Amino acid sequence: MIANNGNNEGLFRAGFMQSGSPIPVAGLEHGQKYYDALVVQTGCTGASDTLQCLREVPYETLKAAQDASPGIFAYQSLSLAWLPREDGIFLTDNPQQLVLDGKVANVPFITGDCDDEGTLFSLSTLNITTTSELQTYITTVFLPGSNVFQATIQQIETLYSEDITQGSPFDTGILNAITPQFKRIAAFMGDGVFQAPRRFFLQQRASKQPTWAFLSQRLKIVPILGSFHGSDILNVYGGGGMADYLIRFAVNLNPNDNSGLQWPQYDPKDPQLLTFIDGLIPVMITSDTYRQDGMNALTNLTLANPL
């Protein structure tokens, strides 16, 4: 939706996104070290044109080098090696800056998240058990080379406290705290990379094009992970409650019909979510105002220090 400065050239008429919104990604220079590693691991170091060399190496060699890159379960977690970075042509700027500039395809869209997006990606950081270690991790591993002020980090740490009852999996009290910092880090990851960008995107675009938003709080009883990333897939493509909404949206560009719970369009002044929950009442309308100060702080942090 933000590629080609938002000009989709008629290739699609709507968007449906799960755990997906434009995330704060820096330019190609932030990915240089991964390219350099790829060049070394494929034996292209001495080539006069390393890119052409990479194009010509055997598939097995390139795949092995690619597989050696840090993935989503590496220690750096969601500070991924291979991201859709600004190249000046396909993506002309940081994706979130493109949103601020209004360079977004003007089509109806639905976007949403699982409640505990960050739990799965915080299993690689179980060695972090203190606030001091978390500070070091954010400034040297998750946002390396950034110019994050100490006051900003302290604000994030206050808003995402080490109180295990406030962390993710959310609303699980003292449960699932497999380390003193796990639920805190999971909240930070989930909001920073998924929920805050989603809310930012909706706040910027809902007054300009038809938008709807959802939240999946299903499977909250899953130990350690809660409503983890990807747990909403069955609800959409396995015949769950979201399927009818998606079908209607694909056909009519509106997820509602004359029956069932009506899904309100997203309104920046009164933001509401279609929320899927476990229990006898499987779906309800909730406000998209939770952890507002925290998400605002994370958005400001990542806009100034993109991944």
Side-chain angles (χ1 to χ4, degrees):
M1 291 180 67
I2 56 173
N4 198 28
N5 283 328
N7 180 8
N8 70 352
E9 299 181 347
L11 293 176
F12 56 90
R13 68 187 190 117
F16 179 78
M17 294 163 278
Q18 293 172 260
S19 304
S21 296
I23 59 175
V25 180
L28 291 174
E29 64 277 6
H30 278 233
Q32 186 66 45
K33 64 181 179 181
Y34 304 114
Y35 177 85
D36 293 343
L38 205 65
V39 168
V40 171
Q41 291 162 352
T42 53
C44 287
T45 304
S48 58
D49 186 336
T50 56
L51 181 57
Q52 187 59 35
C53 180
L54 288 174
R55 289 171 173 154
E56 296 174 356
V57 297
Y59 166 78
E60 293 77 12
T61 302
L62 183 60
K63 183 178 185 302
Q66 177 92 20
D67 290 346
S69 300
I72 56 176
F73 300 117
Y75 186 53
Q76 66 193 62
S77 188
L78 293 172
S79 183
L80 299 175
W82 305 108
L83 288 164
R85 297 191 181 279
E86 167 198 345
D87 65 349
I89 302 172
F90 188 70
L91 288 176
T92 59
D93 208 333
N94 173 347
Q96 288 195 329
Q97 186 60 50
L98 290 172
V99 174
L100 286 172
D101 292 343
K103 296 177 180 179
V104 179
N106 189 15
V107 298
F109 69 86
I110 292 173
T111 184
D113 293 297
C114 299
D115 203 31
D116 302 305
E117 292 280 3
T119 51
L120 196 60
F121 308 111
S122 301
L123 296 174
S124 60
T125 54
L126 299 183
N127 62 314
I128 300 173
T129 59
T130 68
T131 294
S132 176
E133 290 171 348
L134 178 57
Q135 287 180 0
T136 300
Y137 175 81
I138 293 173
T139 55
T140 64
V141 179
F142 193 72
L143 296 173
S146 62
N147 296 309
V148 184
F149 293 110
Q150 185 66 23
T152 302
I153 296 297
Q154 290 174 344
Q155 179 192 27
I156 297 296
E157 289 170 347
T158 298
L159 293 168
Y160 289 87
S161 77
E162 59 185 345
D163 179 353
I164 60 175
T165 67
Q166 302 302 307
S168 179
F170 298 108
D171 302 315
T172 59
I174 62 172
L175 301 178
N176 303 305
I178 54 176
T179 76
Q181 298 289 323
F182 171 74
K183 294 180 73 173
R184 184 188 205 177
I185 295 170
F188 169 82
M189 291 288 186
D191 282 1
V193 180
F194 295 97
Q195 299 233 37
R198 171 195 59 76
R199 186 178 287 170
F200 168 81
F201 190 38
L202 287 160
Q203 288 286 332
Q204 293 294 319
R205 299 305 305 176
S207 63
K208 301 175 178 65
Q209 60 204 97
T211 61
W212 292 264
F214 70 88
L215 180 68
S216 177
Q217 295 182 328
R218 298 267 176 93
L219 301 178
K220 184 65 75 167
I221 62 171
V222 174
I224 300 173
L225 301 179
S227 302
F228 59 92
H229 176 71
S231 60
D232 57 335
I233 291 177
L234 283 177
N235 191 36
V236 182
Y237 304 108
M242 174 68 90
D244 287 341
Y245 287 104
L246 174 55
I247 291 168
R248 290 192 290 264
F249 181 67
V251 174
N252 303 315
L253 300 182
N254 186 331
N256 296 300
D257 63 8
N258 295 324
S259 62
L261 182 64
Q262 297 298 293
W263 187 350
Q265 281 194 35
Y266 197 89
D267 180 351
K269 296 179 181 179
D270 182 23
Q272 295 183 316
L273 303 167
L274 184 70
T275 300
F276 296 91
I277 58 176
D278 295 315
L280 295 177
I281 302 175
V283 63
M284 61 182 180
I285 304 299
T286 62
S287 295
D288 188 22
T289 54
Y290 52 90
R291 301 190 300 282
Q292 191 159 307
D293 290 342
M295 289 196 207
N296 287 343
L298 286 175
T299 296
N300 291 334
L301 171 67
T302 54
L303 275 172
N305 303 275
L307 300 175

